[in-house]
Amino acid sequence: MASLKEKFAAKIDPMRQRVRTLTKQHGEIKISDVSVAQAYGGMRGVKCLVTETSALDPYEGIRFRGFTIPELRQKLPKAPGGEEPLPEGIFYLLLTGDLPSEEDVRELTKEWQQRGEVPEYVLEVLKSIPKDVHPMTQFSMGILALQKESLFAQRYREGMPKTEYWDPMFEDVMNLLAKLPRIAAFIYRRIYKNDEHIPPDPTLDWGGNFAHMLGVENEEFKELMRLYLVLHSDHEGGNVSAHTTHLVGSALSDAYLSLSGGMNGLAGPLHGLANQEVLRWIMELIEKLGSKPTKEQLKQYVWDTLNAGQVIPGYGHAVLRKTDPRYVAQREFALKHLPDNEIFKVVSDLYEVVPPILQEHGKAKNPWPNVDAHSGCLLLHYGVKEYDFYTVFFGVSRALGVLASLCWDRALGLPIERPKSITTDWVEEFIKNQN
Ligand code: CMX
């Protein structure tokens, strides 16, 4: 059986050929126009990036290499006795475009186990950070501290030809992914669990081991981790974490520099940090209204938040125009495993209450919940109550998608990213000349 590296390597030449043909024969064909509103408005809808790993439809939601979330939950290999897909499988799929076999996934688990040790000097860096520094900042610093390990940076310094870039990038990506759960668990146990660390279990898969090293010994939580790490892995190329990783990488910065940059974007409250903001907002709600608020009380609370000029965390999306299928998958998990949980009841009631209010409020283009509206209540149910840490879960997962894309960026020899910026003077002059 071909190893993942051989499988990926075999895909590169045909893909290079496809891209070469497209750019040579059809390079002048326009696929997008840019309006003044888009240039000022965060480039919404402008098609100017190519990302192979996944595609987002506003009404259908995400497809990972063509597969919907329900399809993946069915088709990707599971842990022994488990029902949720293994994150190793989604990485294999995102990188190669092919569904992995059970054996492919088992091999990847083994390989990440072997590559997983975090050098002592990285742990020393983490130990030197004040414990009240946000976990996402610590996570990003831990990734950055690992940069010394980069084979890509080393090979580049030695003078490697462009055609070989993909090889050390693949090695860096595999090493980094293998270590991420250990870095994350180290941060968690250091901040919240008295610096008492739990060694990895060599019999466990990547997601199960992450749960184990966090110290949550519960088979259902391991299943949640596997599902969570699959769901958050990729959301096409234009979101802040994916785009930042790609942009930094386009300067031939290695995987460590690129992912650390991407994680800094994920740490923003309009992106990944929304998952902790949702829980903070719900806990404040419960503190104010009690654990069983009525829908009328919830409505008032939502309006109070909006009237205070704040966003409703976990609602709205830059691309989606319906309930996020990642929210739906988490809701299904909750209905199956924690139907009577009080926070889940609040999350469900908010699902009824918030969209009509956002519609009436009239600003948000998408009144429906996104992925972050649900994840916190699941984590909390299994005892992970430190919600400042929630975005780190997102980060460990998002690394799967953005690093698979980074391998392809180097395999295809994509150039340094450098769009044209313009000034307001230029825009005014341009408009004047139109008339
Ligand atoms: N609550 C209140 N107002 C909202 C809103 C919400 N949940 N979502 C959007 N709006 C407002 C915007 O702030 C904007 O207001 P202004 O015109 O005053 O600037 C207006 O509605 C239009 O915004 P939009 O075009 O609908 O949304 P954007 O594409 O600009 O932004 C997003 C998308 C996700 C940042 C926004 O919906 C938001 O802030 N949501 C809450 C934070 C959140 O849940 N983020 C997580 C997204 C998923 C992820 O990346 O993890």
Side-chain angles (χ1 to χ4, degrees), residues 44 270-271 274 306 311-312 314-316 318 363-365 370 372 394:
R44 280 312 169 283
L270 295 188
H271 192 15
L306 290 172
V311 295
I312 306 300
Y315 280 77
K363 270 191 171 186
K365 293 188 189 71
N370 60 57
D372 299 318
F394 198 156

Side-chain angles (χ1 to χ4, degrees), residues 67-117:
F67 294 101
T68 63
I69 289 169
E71 285 166 351
L72 288 185
R73 284 178 91 180
Q74 195 202 341
K75 288 178 196 288
L76 285 179
K78 325 268 186 297
E83 292 183 343
E84 298 299 347
L86 285 166
E88 287 90 331
I90 191 86
F91 180 70
Y92 188 104
L93 174 70
L94 293 173
L95 186 70
T96 66
D98 296 334
L99 282 171
S101 66
E102 298 274 345
E103 203 181 340
D104 292 329
V105 159
R106 272 201 300 279
E107 213 175 90
L108 197 46
T109 297
K110 208 161 70 193
E111 195 158 351
W112 283 352
Q113 280 273 9
Q114 285 159 358
R115 293 174 185 249
E117 182 132 340

Side-chain angles (χ1 to χ4, degrees), residues 7 12 32 41 87 97 108 139 143 190 288 290 337 340 368 416:
K7 177 116 194 182
I12 294 175
S32 214
L108 197 46
F139 188 53
I143 294 165
R190 179 172 168 266
K288 201 169 157 194
H337 296 289
D340 302 322
W368 303 105
I416 188 163

Side-chain angles (χ1 to χ4, degrees), residues 110-347:
K110 208 161 70 193
E111 195 158 351
W112 283 352
Q113 280 273 9
Q114 285 159 358
R115 293 174 185 249
E117 182 132 340
V118 178
E120 193 53 40
Y121 72 86
V122 174
L123 301 181
E124 290 301 326
V125 169
L126 292 173
K127 283 182 207 166
S128 73
I129 303 172
K131 287 187 181 177
D132 59 353
V133 169
H134 193 278
M136 271 306 276
T137 310
Q138 298 200 34
F139 188 53
S140 177
M141 289 168 84
I143 294 165
L144 205 53
L146 261 178
Q147 192 268 341
K148 188 171 97 70
E149 304 298 312
S150 173
L151 295 169
F152 183 92
Q154 190 187 318
R155 293 273 306 279
Y156 190 84
R157 218 169 26 240
E158 290 163 5
M160 119 183 94
K162 195 172 179 176
T163 47
E164 290 176 16
Y165 285 175
W166 69 269
D167 186 318
M169 178 57 85
F170 174 86
E171 295 296 333
D172 278 355
V173 161
M174 292 287 279
N175 289 333
L176 181 48
L177 283 172
K179 294 172 184 20
L180 283 181
R182 297 201 198 179
I183 293 176
F186 185 87
I187 294 168
Y188 181 78
R189 301 286 311 177
R190 179 172 168 266
I191 304 180
Y192 307 113
K193 304 289 170 188
N194 227 10
D195 236 329
E196 289 161 8
H197 299 283
I198 301 171
D201 177 343
T203 64
L204 282 172
D205 54 281
W206 192 71
N209 222 341
F210 186 22
H212 162 72
M213 290 185 291
L214 290 167
V216 186
E217 286 308 344
N218 178 323
E219 288 310 308
E220 246 174 56
F221 182 71
K222 288 195 179 80
E223 281 288 271
L224 173 65
M225 264 307 91
R226 291 164 186 137
L227 175 66
Y228 184 108
L229 295 170
V230 167
L231 291 180
H232 291 72
S233 60
D234 212 34
H235 219 222
E236 71 171 36
N239 66 76
V240 171
S241 50
H243 189 188
T244 308
T245 306
H246 166 77
L247 170 64
V248 176
S250 82
L252 296 187
S253 306
D254 58 59
Y256 302 90
L257 296 168
S258 305
L259 184 68
S260 177
M263 290 300 105
N264 298 339
L266 191 72
L270 295 188
H271 192 15
L273 201 81
N275 63 5
Q276 81 164 49
E277 292 306 298
V278 167
L279 236 280
R280 189 192 305 284
W281 183 70
I282 291 179
M283 295 320 268
E284 280 169 12
L285 176 162
I286 286 173
E287 204 169 294
K288 201 169 157 194
L289 306 172
S291 61
K292 292 188 170 100
T294 65
K295 287 197 186 143
E296 282 314 307
Q297 285 176 312
L298 289 181
K299 278 182 196 166
Q300 192 53 51
Y301 187 76
V302 171
W303 274 116
D304 289 348
T305 303
L306 290 172
N307 291 337
Q310 292 159 24
V311 295
I312 306 300
Y315 280 77
H317 199 271
V319 180
L320 281 169
R321 293 296 175 260
K322 69 159 224 179
T323 299
D324 191 332
R326 299 171 300 175
Y327 176 96
V328 175
Q330 294 180 88
R331 182 171 163 76
E332 284 167 7
F333 188 94
L335 285 168
K336 185 167 160 193
H337 296 289
L338 43 133
D340 302 322
N341 178 287
E342 279 183 352
I343 312 276
F344 174 49
K345 172 86 172 66
V346 174
V347 167

